[in-house]
Amino acid sequence: MSIWIVFKLLGSLALLMFGMKSMSEALQKMAGPQLRHVLGAMTTNRFTGVLTGMFVTAAVQSSTATTLMTVSFVNAGLLTLLQAISVIMGAHIGTTVSAWIMSLGFSFNISDFVYPAFFVGIILIYMKKRRIVGDLLFGVAFLFLGLGTLKETGFGLVEDPAASQAISAFFERFNDPSFWNSFFFLLMGTVLTLCVQSSAAIMAITMILCSTGVLHIDQGIMLVLGENIGTTITANIVAMGANTQARRAAFAHFTINIIGVTWALIVLQPFVNAVCHFVGFDRTITAGAPGYQANLAKIAIVLATFHSAFNITNTLLQIWFVKYIERFVCWVIKPKKVDEEEDFRLHFITSGIMKTPELSVLNAQKEIISFSDRIQRMFGMVRELLVEKDPAKFAKLFARIEKYEGISDNMEIEIAKYLDEVSDAHLSDDTKSKIRAMLREISELESIGDACYNMARTITRKVQNSQEHFTEKQYEHMHQMMELTDNALTQMNQLMGGRKESFDVNKSFNLEKEINNFRTQLKSQNINDVNNHEYTYAVGTIYMDIINECEKLCDYVVNVVEARMGTRQKEA
């Protein structure tokens, strides 16, 4: 076999995978935000969850994307484990659309439509408003160009006597329908899908091998069953760094398909016979017999039909046992025993960027909300530090604040790094704008953490280096300022965790003005109090350092609000 034929096979497979990826990403850009709302709104029970999984997977043409989205939603607390299992079941049905798209390329010559699609696509790409549609057309065109080239090369390979004999000799060794031969092809389908990370690509190869007569239909069906297992491993890899519920959702994905493959193997022969009868395919016709080529032309349809029938039947059987599947995965995967509040760990951003960049932004947003909540807890510790009299408790509290300051630095760096990876992907303009805003948010949140730490150090300096104490009036004013500051942080967190359309941004702006005015008033009063010898200049300086730091902190809060709202104070 010529080395050029090998490269042609690999290149056409790469084209097919790139086309599938481009088409899926373009569809996600077109429908990403809407799909997130659909997932949250349409999973009220197991049946609507299945329909949602079907709809979303059919829309984005990727069961992996839907599963990763579902796992990330569970990780973010937007879906329960029970809801996620039903969505994953629906995704198994929705992914069968890909096999039917593949079978189109074997039913008629789709290549005639590829080049006009490229031409129209490039025009749309240069039209900014239609760029995503152009990306979609390019993805579809690359998909069918790769499929057509793969088909042409595969048939050309079979026509080469030497290559055909070598390939046939290899597969003939496994023609005997024994358990171990069937297991070999099941394992091959699993491993190939795991390596290539695309069940659609392995489905295309399976269709080529079966359509050329090199691979028997029974062996092709075992490859299809193997693909169903292999495609579940991606979600489990991504979920390894996620929380317990997300890992359970990913494991449920694996469990559902393992159960499905198990029952399918038990009833395989009658099940395959029923599919072949439905399509009109005769498994008994051998090479050289009359009608062999016409029969062979139906194999792609048989594989697509089997794929759909298996996944639909598997869902219909297991949908009644969703609660038991939930109990099983909860029994297998135990919660991690870690103090999440005191240890630095990203809760919602898992290892590496997801395969769906548009949806990765949601994880980053949830991480920023967690960051924002942590920062307010840090400010609460500063308030406690101000009134703590016990030296041991004071030292312990300051150590916690110091630890939180380090955590806030790390969170800013890690979230920024993740957003930088996401921004390298092809994103919609709306998502690019969100990423810019989120980068500003985390920078300002880290500044709030610095302000909290500065206040804690100032209070510590006062306790360690001064024998004098704040007056009752100073304590009262600092408590008032800190209460206003805490209110500002609360409003910020309400905005971060809710919908910005329902948030009144003027409340934050008005509160910031009130804090500025209060700071100015206290500054003038402090000068008078020092002149009247109510306390020393040194105590007055420390007192005003804390007041000024509170005012600075509120400026950072307003910056976060502006970034989240996409507005400026002068515009409000």
Side-chain angles (χ1 to χ4, degrees):
M1 183 168 59
S2 169
I3 189 68
W4 297 112
I5 294 178
V6 174
F7 280 127
K8 194 172 181 181
L9 282 169
L10 293 174
S12 56
L13 184 61
L15 266 179
L16 185 146
M17 291 172 65
F18 178 75
M20 202 74 189
K21 181 176 181 289
S22 300
M23 182 176 72
S24 178
E25 285 182 354
L27 286 165
Q28 288 172 51
K29 288 178 199 174
M30 293 168 73
Q34 288 75 13
L35 292 181
R36 292 199 289 269
H37 296 319
V38 165
L39 264 182
M42 287 183 63
T43 51
T44 51
N45 60 57
R46 71 185 79 176
F47 299 104
T48 57
V50 169
L51 290 173
T52 303
M54 287 171 54
F55 167 75
V56 172
T57 306
V60 300
Q61 277 302 293
S62 172
S63 62
T64 302
T66 305
T67 307
L68 292 181
M69 192 194 325
T70 304
V71 169
S72 70
F73 272 42
V74 174
N75 195 43
L78 299 178
L79 286 179
T80 65
L81 180 58
L82 206 63
Q83 290 172 322
I85 292 171
S86 61
V87 171
I88 288 167
M89 285 181 174
H92 292 160
I93 299 174
T95 193
T96 62
V97 175
S98 299
W100 286 103
I101 292 174
M102 298 291 177
S103 68
L104 282 176
F106 291 86
S107 301
F108 59 92
N109 188 9
I110 199 77
S111 302
D112 296 339
F113 302 95
V114 166
Y115 297 103
F118 276 131
F119 178 70
V120 175
I122 196 67
I123 293 172
L124 293 174
I125 284 172
Y126 281 99
M127 296 168 60
K128 286 189 176 180
K129 290 184 179 179
R130 298 285 181 269
R131 187 173 58 203
I132 297 175
V133 180
D135 288 340
L136 175 62
L137 271 178
F138 253 68
V140 172
F142 273 122
L143 168 66
F144 283 117
L145 181 62
L147 190 61
T149 309
L150 193 65
K151 178 184 171 185
E152 179 190 325
T153 309
F155 278 101
L157 195 60
V158 172
E159 290 170 5
D160 179 359
S164 177
Q165 188 175 0
I167 296 169
S168 298
F170 173 78
F171 284 113
E172 276 174 10
R173 284 186 285 176
F174 305 97
N175 270 347
D176 181 30
S178 65
F179 169 79
W180 290 112
N181 284 345
S182 298
F183 181 75
F184 172 76
F185 282 98
L186 181 71
L187 185 63
M188 183 188 289
T190 303
V191 172
L192 286 174
T193 306
L194 176 61
C195 294
V196 177
Q197 293 284 294
S198 172
S199 59
I202 305 304
M203 175 61 83
I205 292 172
T206 305
M207 287 180 174
I208 289 288
L209 291 171
C210 289
S211 296
T212 54
V214 167
L215 196 65
H216 192 268
I217 184 66
D218 291 349
Q219 297 167 334
I221 281 171
M222 294 308 295
L223 282 175
V224 171
L225 289 175
E227 290 158 20
N228 278 273
I229 298 173
T231 195
T232 66
I233 297 174
T234 304
N236 282 275
I237 292 170
V238 171
M240 284 175 67
N243 64 23
T244 302
Q245 289 295 84
R247 286 185 290 117
R248 285 171 175 169
F251 185 66
H253 182 34
F254 175 76
T255 303
I256 290 163
N257 275 9
I258 285 290
I259 293 170
V261 170
T262 302
W263 70 253
L265 290 175
I266 294 170
V267 298
L268 188 62
Q269 290 309 314
F271 194 78
V272 173
N273 285 335
V275 169
C276 291
H277 177 73
F278 177 78
V279 175
F281 178 83
D282 190 346
R283 295 170 71 192
T284 62
I285 297 179
T286 56
Y292 174 71
Q293 289 301 327
N295 194 54
L296 204 62
K298 298 176 184 176
I299 279 193
I301 303 294
V302 173
L303 290 171
T305 305
F306 175 81
H307 193 216
S308 296
F310 165 72
N311 282 291
I312 291 169
T313 307
N314 192 35
T315 298
L316 290 175
L317 288 174
Q318 294 195 54
I319 193 171
W320 309 103
F321 303 99
V322 169
K323 289 184 180 178
Y324 297 101
I325 294 170
E326 181 192 30
R327 287 179 195 171
F328 173 71
V329 297
C330 289
W331 176 74
V332 172
I333 298 180
K334 308 293 183 186
K336 293 178 181 177
K337 293 182 179 179
V338 294
D339 188 348
E340 293 185 346
E341 185 176 315
E342 292 299 320
D343 289 314
F344 169 64
R345 186 179 76 86
L346 297 178
H347 295 258
F348 306 106
I349 293 175
T350 54
S351 54
I353 180 177
M354 287 173 59
K355 287 193 172 183
T356 54
E358 292 281 337
L359 301 169
S360 300
V361 175
L362 175 72
N363 278 2
Q365 185 61 54
K366 295 298 292 183
E367 201 65 72
I368 292 171
I369 293 170
S370 172
F371 188 7
S372 184
D373 287 336
R374 194 188 289 265
I375 286 295
Q376 187 166 14
R377 287 200 300 273
M378 184 180 179
F379 182 71
M381 293 175 204
V382 174
R383 296 182 72 179
E384 290 177 37
L385 193 72
L386 182 63
V387 296
E388 184 57 64
K389 303 299 182 186
D390 184 282
K393 290 181 180 177
F394 185 95
K396 187 177 179 181
L397 195 55
F398 179 75
R400 282 186 73 196
I401 293 169
E402 200 166 33
K403 188 173 183 179
Y404 264 61
E405 200 276 334
I407 289 172
S408 73
D409 288 345
N410 287 332
M411 288 192 80
E412 181 196 18
I413 291 166
E414 292 302 318
I415 297 171
K417 213 187 290 183
Y418 182 78
L419 289 172
D420 186 52
E421 288 180 35
V422 175
S423 64
D424 286 340
H426 297 291
L427 301 168
S428 63
D429 292 337
D430 180 54
T431 304
K432 287 177 183 175
S433 176
K434 283 180 185 173
I435 288 176
R436 285 193 295 270
M438 290 160 77
L439 286 169
R440 186 184 175 202
E441 286 168 19
I442 59 172
S443 173
E444 300 297 342
L445 286 171
E446 194 277 331
S447 295
I448 294 173
D450 287 344
C452 290
Y453 183 52
N454 289 339
M455 277 188 270
R457 288 197 302 173
T458 302
I459 295 167
T460 304
R461 190 172 75 247
K462 163 70 177 62
V463 170
Q464 292 175 345
N465 301 329
S466 176
Q467 300 301 317
E468 297 180 73
H469 300 287
F470 292 126
T471 65
E472 288 298 321
K473 190 186 289 184
Q474 283 178 316
Y475 272 117
E476 183 184 338
H477 290 155
M478 284 188 289
H479 287 317
Q480 286 176 356
M481 178 61 91
M482 286 185 172
E483 183 65 30
L484 289 170
T485 305
D486 194 58
N487 290 342
L489 286 166
T490 300
Q491 285 187 12
M492 177 188 76
N493 281 325
Q494 285 173 352
L495 169 63
M496 299 297 282
R499 294 181 68 84
K500 63 182 182 181
E501 293 81 7
S502 59
F503 183 78
D504 184 3
V505 71
N506 289 315
K507 285 184 180 179
S508 291
F509 292 153
N510 291 336
L511 187 55
E512 196 255 349
K513 287 175 184 174
E514 184 181 348
I515 289 167
N516 285 347
N517 293 336
F518 190 41
R519 187 276 314 264
T520 304
Q521 176 190 332
L522 294 180
K523 188 177 180 180
S524 300
Q525 190 174 338
N526 177 63
I527 294 170
N528 293 332
D529 289 344
V530 170
N531 288 334
N532 293 332
H533 305 291
E534 293 192 21
Y535 44 79
T536 64
Y537 180 82
V539 171
T541 300
I542 294 172
Y543 162 67
M544 282 311 300
D545 282 348
I546 294 171
I547 296 296
N548 286 328
E549 208 63 56
C550 281
E551 190 276 329
K552 262 198 250 180
L553 189 154
C554 291
D555 287 342
Y556 300 138
V557 168
V558 168
N559 291 342
V560 173
V561 171
E562 286 178 350
R564 181 79 176 90
M565 295 294 292
T567 185
R568 295 283 179 185
Q569 186 167 356
K570 64 182 179 182
E571 296 171 358

